[in-house]
Amino acid sequence: MRFPQVPLGSLVCAIVWMSASTPSYCAPKESGTMQAHGDFDVKITPQRADNPDAEAAGFARIALDKRYHGAIEGSGRGEMLAAGDGSKSGAYVALEKVSGTLDGREGSFALLHSAVMVDGVPRDWSIRVVPDSGTGQLTGIEGRLRITMAAGKHSYDLEYTLPTD
């Protein structure tokens, strides 16, 4: 079975990045949970399948290049696989490595993205920090990230915890 060509603009806006912009800050919440806000720019680049099995699957493969601003200052690099046409129904998974500073702490961590879209509405959308992926001063980070888009601008809201010293 071969999936149709994915219109990337529809896929990215409809499935991956949806939300309203919020100001940058990082403030403690109950039980040691922190909340980080900011915005980011993203560049997507379609990629070719790199082997016969991947080509036969017919999924869209997309490279991600992000620049984070606000509580996160740094970059995100990753790769997305998507199925469906992205305008009405489909699904995606992505892995992204975020490198830079989070509330002044230097290091990196990985994010796992996944979502399903049915009749133009995202369902089961999840972006989680990959366990044990934190490095440097972000070692031990755990959390969830929400991405939103409003008026063509992308923003994020990261709820996270770090081990206490």
Side-chain angles (χ1 to χ4, degrees):
M1 175 182 205
R2 191 158 181 101
F3 290 91
Q5 184 72 20
V6 176
L8 297 178
S10 297
L11 179 70
V12 169
C13 291
I15 297 179
V16 182
W17 295 283
M18 294 176 250
S19 164
S21 189
T22 52
S24 299
Y25 73 89
C26 188
K29 293 178 79 178
E30 289 183 51
S31 70
T33 299
M34 302 293 287
Q35 192 153 26
H37 300 282
D39 53 41
F40 65 93
D41 305 303
V42 62
K43 177 182 167 191
I44 59 170
T45 306
Q47 304 293 300
R48 291 188 178 273
D50 63 359
N51 64 70
D53 292 331
E55 189 174 337
F59 298 128
R61 181 176 168 203
I62 303 157
L64 304 172
D65 181 3
K66 295 181 181 177
R67 297 292 175 254
Y68 285 93
H69 313 285
I72 300 173
E73 287 291 338
S75 62
R77 299 280 173 91
E79 190 163 335
M80 175 194 313
L81 288 176
D85 71 4
S87 65
K88 185 170 171 108
S89 298
Y92 88 98
V93 294
L95 286 170
E96 173 185 0
K97 181 178 181 180
V98 178
S99 302
T101 61
L102 169 57
D103 192 30
R105 295 174 183 95
E106 192 168 344
S108 66
F109 57 92
L111 294 171
L112 169 64
H113 302 243
S114 66
V116 173
M117 188 164 71
V118 178
D119 293 327
V121 178
R123 295 189 186 165
D124 304 321
W125 191 18
S126 172
I127 306 171
R128 298 190 57 149
V129 174
V130 175
D132 295 323
S133 66
T135 67
Q137 294 175 313
L138 300 176
T139 298
I141 188 170
E142 295 182 17
R144 293 180 179 270
L145 186 111
R146 272 193 331 267
I147 297 176
T148 56
M149 187 173 130
K153 304 266 185 197
H154 300 90
S155 63
Y156 64 86
D157 178 20
L158 173 65
E159 276 192 14
Y160 71 97
T161 60
L162 283 168
T164 57
D165 294 333

